[in-house]
Short mmCIF file of all heavy atoms in Angstrom, two decimals:
data_model
loop_
_atom_site.label_atom_id
_atom_site.label_comp_id
_atom_site.label_asym_id
_atom_site.label_seq_id
_atom_site.Cartn_x
_atom_site.Cartn_y
_atom_site.Cartn_z
N ILE X 643 -13.19 -31.15 31.69
CA ILE X 643 -14.15 -32.08 32.31
C ILE X 643 -15.51 -31.95 31.62
O ILE X 643 -16.14 -32.97 31.26
CB ILE X 643 -14.31 -31.77 33.81
CG1 ILE X 643 -13.02 -32.09 34.58
CG2 ILE X 643 -15.51 -32.53 34.40
CD1 ILE X 643 -12.78 -33.56 34.82
N MET X 644 -15.97 -30.73 31.43
CA MET X 644 -17.28 -30.53 30.81
C MET X 644 -17.32 -31.06 29.38
O MET X 644 -18.32 -31.64 28.94
CB MET X 644 -17.67 -29.05 30.87
CG MET X 644 -17.95 -28.55 32.28
SD MET X 644 -18.61 -26.87 32.36
CE MET X 644 -17.16 -25.89 31.94
N LYS X 645 -16.24 -30.87 28.64
CA LYS X 645 -16.18 -31.39 27.27
C LYS X 645 -16.22 -32.92 27.27
O LYS X 645 -16.88 -33.54 26.42
CB LYS X 645 -14.90 -30.90 26.57
CG LYS X 645 -14.95 -29.43 26.18
CD LYS X 645 -13.65 -29.01 25.50
CE LYS X 645 -13.72 -27.56 25.03
NZ LYS X 645 -12.44 -27.12 24.39
N ALA X 646 -15.51 -33.54 28.23
CA ALA X 646 -15.52 -35.00 28.32
C ALA X 646 -16.91 -35.52 28.66
O ALA X 646 -17.37 -36.53 28.12
CB ALA X 646 -14.51 -35.46 29.38
N VAL X 647 -17.61 -34.81 29.56
CA VAL X 647 -18.97 -35.19 29.92
C VAL X 647 -19.89 -35.12 28.71
O VAL X 647 -20.79 -35.96 28.52
CB VAL X 647 -19.50 -34.29 31.06
CG1 VAL X 647 -21.00 -34.49 31.27
CG2 VAL X 647 -18.75 -34.56 32.36
N LYS X 648 -19.64 -34.14 27.85
CA LYS X 648 -20.46 -33.96 26.65
C LYS X 648 -20.11 -34.94 25.53
O LYS X 648 -20.73 -34.94 24.48
CB LYS X 648 -20.31 -32.53 26.13
CG LYS X 648 -20.85 -31.45 27.07
CD LYS X 648 -22.35 -31.49 27.18
CE LYS X 648 -22.87 -30.33 28.02
NZ LYS X 648 -24.34 -30.38 28.17
N GLY X 649 -19.07 -35.77 25.78
CA GLY X 649 -18.77 -36.82 24.81
C GLY X 649 -17.49 -36.65 24.01
O GLY X 649 -17.16 -37.52 23.20
N GLU X 650 -16.78 -35.54 24.21
CA GLU X 650 -15.52 -35.37 23.48
C GLU X 650 -14.51 -36.41 23.98
O GLU X 650 -14.39 -36.66 25.18
CB GLU X 650 -14.97 -33.96 23.68
CG GLU X 650 -13.76 -33.67 22.81
CD GLU X 650 -13.33 -32.21 22.85
OE1 GLU X 650 -14.20 -31.32 22.91
OE2 GLU X 650 -12.11 -31.96 22.81
N THR X 651 -13.79 -37.02 23.08
CA THR X 651 -12.85 -38.09 23.44
C THR X 651 -11.40 -37.65 23.23
O THR X 651 -11.13 -36.64 22.59
CB THR X 651 -13.13 -39.35 22.61
OG1 THR X 651 -12.99 -39.04 21.22
CG2 THR X 651 -14.52 -39.89 22.88
N GLY X 652 -10.48 -38.45 23.79
CA GLY X 652 -9.06 -38.19 23.61
C GLY X 652 -8.50 -37.06 24.45
O GLY X 652 -7.41 -36.55 24.17
N ILE X 653 -9.23 -36.65 25.50
CA ILE X 653 -8.77 -35.57 26.37
C ILE X 653 -7.87 -36.14 27.46
O ILE X 653 -8.30 -36.96 28.28
CB ILE X 653 -9.95 -34.82 27.02
CG1 ILE X 653 -10.85 -34.20 25.95
CG2 ILE X 653 -9.45 -33.76 27.99
CD1 ILE X 653 -12.12 -33.59 26.50
N ILE X 654 -6.61 -35.73 27.46
CA ILE X 654 -5.64 -36.20 28.47
C ILE X 654 -4.99 -34.99 29.11
O ILE X 654 -4.47 -34.10 28.42
CB ILE X 654 -4.57 -37.10 27.84
CG1 ILE X 654 -5.22 -38.37 27.26
CG2 ILE X 654 -3.53 -37.49 28.89
CD1 ILE X 654 -4.25 -39.28 26.54
N GLU X 655 -5.02 -34.95 30.44
CA GLU X 655 -4.44 -33.83 31.18
C GLU X 655 -3.92 -34.33 32.52
O GLU X 655 -4.59 -35.14 33.19
CB GLU X 655 -5.52 -32.76 31.42
CG GLU X 655 -5.03 -31.51 32.13
CD GLU X 655 -4.34 -30.51 31.21
OE1 GLU X 655 -4.20 -30.81 30.00
OE2 GLU X 655 -3.93 -29.44 31.68
N PRO X 656 -2.73 -33.90 32.94
CA PRO X 656 -2.27 -34.29 34.27
C PRO X 656 -3.16 -33.71 35.36
O PRO X 656 -3.58 -32.54 35.28
CB PRO X 656 -0.86 -33.69 34.34
CG PRO X 656 -0.42 -33.54 32.91
CD PRO X 656 -1.69 -33.18 32.18
N THR X 657 -3.47 -34.51 36.36
CA THR X 657 -4.27 -34.06 37.50
C THR X 657 -4.01 -34.97 38.69
O THR X 657 -3.66 -36.15 38.53
CB THR X 657 -5.78 -34.02 37.14
OG1 THR X 657 -6.52 -33.60 38.27
CG2 THR X 657 -6.28 -35.37 36.68
N PHE X 658 -4.19 -34.44 39.88
CA PHE X 658 -3.88 -35.12 41.15
C PHE X 658 -5.10 -35.94 41.58
O PHE X 658 -6.14 -35.37 41.90
CB PHE X 658 -3.53 -34.06 42.19
CG PHE X 658 -2.97 -34.59 43.48
CD1 PHE X 658 -1.72 -35.18 43.53
CD2 PHE X 658 -3.68 -34.44 44.67
CE1 PHE X 658 -1.18 -35.63 44.72
CE2 PHE X 658 -3.15 -34.88 45.88
CZ PHE X 658 -1.90 -35.48 45.91
N ILE X 659 -4.97 -37.27 41.56
CA ILE X 659 -6.11 -38.13 41.83
C ILE X 659 -5.80 -39.17 42.89
O ILE X 659 -4.64 -39.45 43.19
CB ILE X 659 -6.60 -38.84 40.54
CG1 ILE X 659 -5.47 -39.71 39.95
CG2 ILE X 659 -7.12 -37.84 39.53
CD1 ILE X 659 -5.93 -40.63 38.82
N HIS X 660 -6.87 -39.75 43.44
CA HIS X 660 -6.78 -40.90 44.33
C HIS X 660 -6.68 -42.13 43.43
O HIS X 660 -7.63 -42.48 42.73
CB HIS X 660 -8.04 -40.95 45.20
CG HIS X 660 -8.03 -42.03 46.24
ND1 HIS X 660 -8.32 -43.34 45.95
CD2 HIS X 660 -7.76 -41.99 47.58
CE1 HIS X 660 -8.25 -44.07 47.06
NE2 HIS X 660 -7.90 -43.26 48.05
N LEU X 661 -5.53 -42.79 43.43
CA LEU X 661 -5.26 -43.84 42.45
C LEU X 661 -6.12 -45.07 42.66
O LEU X 661 -6.53 -45.72 41.69
CB LEU X 661 -3.77 -44.20 42.47
CG LEU X 661 -2.83 -43.07 42.03
CD1 LEU X 661 -1.38 -43.44 42.30
CD2 LEU X 661 -3.02 -42.72 40.56
N ASP X 662 -6.40 -45.43 43.91
CA ASP X 662 -7.24 -46.59 44.18
C ASP X 662 -8.65 -46.33 43.67
O ASP X 662 -9.26 -45.31 43.99
CB ASP X 662 -7.29 -46.88 45.68
CG ASP X 662 -5.96 -47.39 46.21
OD1 ASP X 662 -5.25 -48.08 45.46
OD2 ASP X 662 -5.63 -47.10 47.38
N GLY X 663 -9.16 -47.25 42.89
CA GLY X 663 -10.52 -47.10 42.38
C GLY X 663 -10.61 -46.40 41.05
O GLY X 663 -11.69 -46.30 40.48
N CYS X 664 -9.48 -45.91 40.55
CA CYS X 664 -9.47 -45.28 39.22
C CYS X 664 -8.88 -46.26 38.21
O CYS X 664 -7.84 -46.88 38.48
CB CYS X 664 -8.63 -44.00 39.23
SG CYS X 664 -9.44 -42.60 40.03
N PRO X 665 -9.50 -46.41 37.05
CA PRO X 665 -8.91 -47.26 36.01
C PRO X 665 -7.48 -46.84 35.70
O PRO X 665 -7.21 -45.65 35.49
CB PRO X 665 -9.83 -47.03 34.81
CG PRO X 665 -11.13 -46.57 35.40
CD PRO X 665 -10.76 -45.78 36.61
N GLY X 666 -6.58 -47.80 35.72
CA GLY X 666 -5.17 -47.50 35.47
C GLY X 666 -4.41 -47.09 36.70
O GLY X 666 -3.17 -46.98 36.66
N GLY X 667 -5.09 -46.88 37.81
CA GLY X 667 -4.43 -46.40 39.02
C GLY X 667 -3.40 -47.37 39.57
O GLY X 667 -2.36 -46.96 40.08
N ASP X 668 -3.67 -48.66 39.46
CA ASP X 668 -2.73 -49.66 40.00
C ASP X 668 -1.39 -49.60 39.28
O ASP X 668 -0.33 -49.75 39.91
CB ASP X 668 -3.33 -51.07 39.86
CG ASP X 668 -4.46 -51.33 40.83
OD1 ASP X 668 -4.60 -50.55 41.79
OD2 ASP X 668 -5.20 -52.32 40.63
N ALA X 669 -1.42 -49.37 37.97
CA ALA X 669 -0.17 -49.29 37.21
C ALA X 669 0.65 -48.08 37.63
O ALA X 669 1.89 -48.14 37.72
CB ALA X 669 -0.47 -49.24 35.72
#
């Protein structure tokens, strides 16, 4: 999370999220 905030791109990790309101959540 901290690396992404600092601008690092391409970080993908599984995590438990509230799908409504998140980009891609509907899919």
Side-chain angles (χ1 to χ4, degrees):
I643 292 284
M644 292 187 287
K645 286 179 177 179
V647 169
K648 295 292 185 182
E650 187 172 323
T651 59
I653 299 173
I654 298 176
E655 183 81 358
T657 179
F658 189 68
I659 59 171
H660 184 280
L661 295 171
D662 291 327
C664 284
D668 287 345

